[in-house]
């Protein structure tokens, strides 16, 4: 069927208007689609954890600390040292060892411990653990100290 020129123009205009309308509806519907279940919940925000270790006498110490959240208890208990790096540091009354880390669950995983090792020296070691600027644990001992807020 052949349409006169004015009729073809009306048909084209009508089809174009229908296509724009349908496209507009798709644009509105698409962003409102539900998120995929594979995305899962957003990760928890990271919290600042600050570890501090010092001693009343200058001394070299071994320091273990947690700088990442283990994925779960099973992974941690299978090999805790893979989640607890070791640092050697000289500390004293005016020489602190400090480290800032970011943890999602510091109540479960934040931990720092320092020890002077074998020998007769007793440098009286102190540790301090702060979360988001608030001190949540302190400890001291003649040869070592452990700061943690975990319940296990």
């Amino acid at each position: 069927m052949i349409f006169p020129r004015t009729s073809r123009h009306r048909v084209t205009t009508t089809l174009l208007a229908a296509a724009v309308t349908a496209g507009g509806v798709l644009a509105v519907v698409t962003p409102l689609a539900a998120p995929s279940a594979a995305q899962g919940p957003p990760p928890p925000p990271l919290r600042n954890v600050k570890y501090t270790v010092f001693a009343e006498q200058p001394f070299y110490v071994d320091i273990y600390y947690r700088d990442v959240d283990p994925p779960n208890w099973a992974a941690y208990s299978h090999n805790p040292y893979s989640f607890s790096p070791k640092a050697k540091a000289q500390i004293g009354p005016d020489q602190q060892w400090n480290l800032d880390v970011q943890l999602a669950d510091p109540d479960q995983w934040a931990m720092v411990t320092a020890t002077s090792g074998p020998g007769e020296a007793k440098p009286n070691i102190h540790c301090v653990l702060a979360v988001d600027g608030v001190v949540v644990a302190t400890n001291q001992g003649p040869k070592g100290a452990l700061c943690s807020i975990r319940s296990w």
Side-chain angles (χ1 to χ4, degrees):
M1 173 183 241
I2 298 177
F3 294 105
R5 184 172 179 180
T6 55
S7 294
R8 273 187 280 164
H9 179 69
R10 277 189 228 136
V11 170
T12 303
T13 304
T14 303
L15 289 174
L16 182 59
V20 168
T21 302
V25 170
L26 288 177
V28 171
V29 172
T30 302
L32 298 178
S36 165
Q39 289 175 340
L46 294 177
R47 302 187 52 205
N48 179 264
V49 176
K50 181 172 186 152
Y51 302 127
T52 302
V53 176
F54 62 95
E56 293 178 18
Q57 299 173 25
F59 210 84
Y60 280 97
V61 295
D62 291 333
I63 301 169
Y64 289 92
Y65 56 92
R66 192 86 23 72
D67 63 349
V68 297
D69 292 88
N72 54 51
W73 173 255
Y76 172 77
S77 64
H78 179 69
N79 189 358
Y81 289 103
S82 67
F83 299 102
S84 305
K86 178 182 176 184
K88 290 184 176 280
Q90 182 172 0
I91 59 173
D94 298 321
Q95 190 172 8
Q96 296 181 345
W97 177 88
N98 294 293
L99 180 67
D100 285 285
V101 301
Q102 304 297 310
L103 297 176
D105 189 2
D107 291 340
Q108 181 73 11
W109 300 115
M111 180 278 306
V112 64
T113 184
T115 180
S116 61
E120 298 298 317
K122 295 180 180 176
N124 204 19
I125 299 169
H126 296 253
C127 64
V128 179
L129 189 154
V131 177
D132 297 330
V134 176
V135 173
V136 294
T138 62
N139 199 352
Q140 64 88 29
K143 296 185 63 61
L146 165 66
C147 285
S148 174
I149 51 177
R150 62 188 180 210
S151 59
W152 41 273

